[in-house]
Structure formats: C-alpha cells, structure tokens
Amino acid sequence: MKAILVDDEALASHYLRRQLEKIGGIHILAELRDAQEAVDQAESLKPDVAFLDIDMPALGGIEAAEILQMRDPNLKVVFVTAYDDYAIKAFELNAIDYLLKPVNAERLKRTVERLKLSLPQAVAAGRPEASDIQPVSPVSASPAMLRCFQTLELDNGKLESIPWRTFKAQELFSFLLLHREQLIRKDMLLELLWPEVDYKKGYTQLYTTAYQIRKTIAALDVTLVLKSNEKGYKLEVNGLPLDIEVWEQGVMGTPALTKDTLDHHLALTELYRGDYLADYDYLWAESERQRLRYLWFRHTSEVATLLAQVNRVSEAIHLYNQLLDKFPHAEELHFELMKLYRLCG
C-alpha cells in the first residue's frame, strides 16, 4: 500500500512515518510540507492513500482532499489533525479515518487495518477475492456478545447489565476495553481515574478496582481476561465479539451496499443502538464516540438513500428520522424527508 504524508510540521510527519513503519504494510512515497505540493505530485506518485493534516497554510487539507479525490476517486484519505472541529466535513468527503494528534500507535494500527479492508484486492495483499467472502451476519453466532453501543451490557441471548461493584470498576474496565489487547501503564490509569489522590493511596485503589473487575468477569463466564505486570494492565477479549467491532467490520468490509445486500446493511443499522458508551460521561471516550457516530451517519444515509430509490419509502422515512434525531441541523436530510413525504401524499 503506497502512501504520501502531508504535514507542514516536520516533526509530526516524521513521527507518523516511524509509527507506520513499525506497523508495516505501508510504503511511504513522500513526506510533503504543503497540500498544493501533494496535489501537484499525486498524479505522478499514484498513492493509494494520503495522510493529510487539515490546518495548513495556503491550501488546507479539506480542500486538498476534495481535489485529490475528484482526480482519483479510488484514493483513500486519512485526516491527521490537532483539532476535532472538522470531523463532519471529513466524513462527508468519505475519509477512511480521522486521527487526532498526537497519534496513538494502537489507534493508527486500527486505521491501517481499515485501509487494507477498503482497498482493492490487488493492493491489499493476501485478501481473499470478493467472490470467496460470505456475507457476515450482523448478529454474532457466538453465544455471547459484549455490547458497547449506548450502554455496556452482555448479550447472552438476553441483555444483562453487568453488576459492577463500583463506578470506578466500570470505568476502568471500559477504558481497558477501548484499548483492548494493549498494555496500559499504571501511572496513566492513576492520572485518569484518581488524579487528586496521592500515588500510594492511588495504587491501593487501582489494585482494589482491578480485583473487583476480575471477580466480576469471572462471574460472567466469558473469555475476558485482565492481565497485569509491574508496568500496567491489559484486557484480553480472546474472541468475545463486541458489537462495535461486528458493526464496523460490516460497514467497512464486504458485502458492498447494493440492492441485493440492502437487507444485510439495514440489519447493521439496527445493531447501532446508540452512541458508543453514551450512558456514561467519560471524556476519554469522546473521540471514539464521535468517530463511530459519523461513520454511522455516512452508512445510514447511504442505506436510506437506496431504500428510497427502490421505493421502500416507509423504511427510508424511519432511517431519515433516526438520522435527524442525531443530526438535526443537516439540511439535506430534511429535504430528502420532505421528498419522501410528498411521495406519500
């Protein structure tokens, strides 16, 4: 997979290059310092993906992405920025992802995985042919699923609230679940959850909370394991499906949205019960919450548009109303809904 990095800050660009080289699978064609240079060189370089900073002098990243994708509709764009004010516009441009500086290594790894899913088979080496891929049901065949949309629950055929001993146990588990399979340093957890407590008392509370989490997940009889060493904690899911992963793989993967796969994608919209951990006021979850929210917006809009085109009007109206509940200022949604109501007389 060939990429260009576009950032007027050399240190940020070099850092991103190093992280991508560690992950592997990405060949950096060029590090460019302004977006106009990227536009000028893209035709000769022929990248598969452009990592674009948004806030640059002269030509900005948003404008550059519009020009690049107009010239090459197959080009994938990942925005990398210190600001989160541009997220809606970024996803309107069909950006693969939207990363906030400083870029987290594990977060970047998930972006690279998304890129591999989105690129043609010739680029994403090792991917099976589309004809070999069977549609994946949005509802897992596993006997259990951990649900993170709206609220944290275990789905064992019926939804169960997880009986956490304390709010801190729930928050620590949720944070480790977001960073699953990644070792999180103890000092970072202390700063996050007990910022006002001195280190000695903080470590005691951390150990107690970790013990409570282990007792809780043991009683659930699931494959979750909380591991620890001298440096930190890591939550391993060991194959337990998460609704956010099942949903995102369906949205970003195969099968593509067509008339034949419309019901499959309609079922995916139903899996999104609400925003990521929306019932909890966790500031650290906001970036992931907004990313999934805008991905839902883009996918659900496409499903609603296709429903209207095949004359499934009542279902299209239902989806447009769901979209407007979350994005009431999106004028184009109101206009599409008015057209559908006109069809209904």
Side-chain angles (χ1 to χ4, degrees):
M1 193 187 320
K2 298 177 294 183
I4 56 173
L5 312 183
V6 189
D7 196 321
D8 62 329
E9 297 177 6
L11 286 176
S13 181
H14 294 337
Y15 173 79
L16 182 59
R17 172 192 275 271
R18 289 197 303 273
Q19 293 298 321
L20 288 169
E21 287 172 347
K22 288 179 184 177
I23 293 169
I26 302 257
H27 172 57
I28 309 298
L29 298 172
E31 287 184 60
L32 307 173
R33 291 292 165 260
D34 69 74
Q36 186 60 56
E37 192 177 2
V39 169
D40 295 339
Q41 294 192 32
E43 188 172 354
S44 60
L45 291 172
K46 295 185 176 4
D48 302 306
V49 56
F51 289 84
L52 284 170
D53 187 18
I54 289 181
D55 190 22
M56 288 185 286
L59 186 66
I62 295 283
E63 294 80 4
E66 289 178 319
I67 297 170
L68 289 168
Q69 290 191 322
M70 187 166 54
R71 294 181 180 179
D72 180 6
N74 293 320
L75 177 71
K76 307 303 178 184
V77 172
V78 176
F79 287 111
V80 187
T81 179
Y83 307 98
D84 61 0
D85 302 333
Y86 304 96
I88 293 179
K89 183 63 178 173
F91 280 100
E92 284 176 356
L93 288 168
N94 291 321
I96 286 292
D97 215 338
Y98 183 92
L99 301 172
L100 290 176
K101 296 178 182 179
V103 177
N104 176 275
E106 190 65 25
R107 181 73 178 75
L108 182 61
K109 185 177 178 182
R110 299 212 302 264
T111 299
V112 172
E113 289 169 356
R114 262 183 226 114
L115 281 166
K116 290 177 181 177
L117 280 174
S118 68
L119 288 170
Q121 281 77 13
V123 176
R127 244 183 105 188
E129 292 299 321
S131 59
D132 296 331
I133 300 175
Q134 297 300 317
V136 178
S137 169
V139 179
S140 172
S142 169
M145 175 186 285
L146 196 58
R147 294 187 177 267
C148 305
F149 284 128
Q150 190 63 37
T151 194
L152 190 59
E153 292 178 308
L154 184 66
D155 188 345
N156 255 324
K158 64 176 183 178
L159 292 176
E160 298 179 34
S161 295
I162 300 174
W164 299 110
R165 291 284 302 276
T166 63
F167 290 120
K168 287 294 185 183
Q170 176 180 275
E171 184 172 6
L172 176 58
F173 175 84
S174 300
F175 184 79
L176 292 172
L177 184 64
L178 173 61
H179 300 282
R180 53 198 174 276
E181 316 299 337
Q182 180 183 355
L183 185 71
I184 306 299
R185 297 193 324 272
K186 291 177 181 178
D187 58 347
M188 178 180 178
L189 295 173
L190 291 180
E191 288 293 332
L192 178 74
L193 295 173
W194 295 279
E196 305 301 325
V197 179
D198 69 71
Y199 262 44
K200 187 174 181 179
K201 290 182 179 178
Y203 273 113
T204 300
Q205 294 192 36
L206 176 59
Y207 297 147
T208 301
T209 304
Y211 173 78
Q212 292 171 347
I213 291 174
R214 288 194 174 102
K215 295 288 285 184
T216 299
I217 61 180
L220 295 175
D221 192 26
V222 290
T223 58
L224 295 166
V225 177
L226 178 60
K227 292 191 173 181
S228 62
N229 59 27
E230 292 181 0
K231 294 182 179 179
Y233 289 92
K234 176 171 68 171
L235 184 67
E236 296 180 352
V237 297
N238 297 310
L240 178 67
L242 276 64
D243 61 346
I244 52 174
E245 287 187 339
V246 173
W247 174 81
E248 187 168 2
Q249 287 167 7
V251 169
M252 300 296 293
T254 54
L257 176 60
T258 65
K259 292 180 182 179
D260 294 333
T261 63
L262 181 53
D263 286 327
H264 171 77
H265 282 269
L266 188 59
L268 282 170
T269 67
E270 295 169 0
L271 191 58
Y272 192 103
R273 305 181 302 161
D275 291 338
Y276 175 69
L277 298 180
D279 284 348
Y280 315 110
D281 190 22
Y282 301 150
L283 289 178
W284 50 260
E286 189 60 27
S287 176
E288 182 71 353
R289 185 177 296 135
Q290 291 300 326
R291 184 185 72 81
L292 294 173
R293 179 184 175 96
Y294 291 121
L295 185 56
W296 171 84
F297 173 84
R298 187 173 72 192
H299 176 255
T300 304
S301 299
E302 292 170 352
V303 174
T305 299
L306 188 52
L307 284 169
Q309 290 173 358
V310 299
N311 207 32
R312 293 168 63 171
V313 176
S314 61
E315 292 169 290
I317 287 174
H318 175 69
L319 282 192
Y320 276 120
N321 277 310
Q322 284 188 334
L323 286 160
L324 284 168
D325 282 343
K326 294 186 183 299
F327 296 89
H329 302 297
E331 294 183 1
E332 70 279 7
L333 298 180
H334 288 282
F335 184 58
E336 293 301 323
L337 194 54
M338 287 194 295
K339 289 193 290 186
L340 290 173
Y341 282 138
R342 182 169 177 263
L343 283 175
C344 297

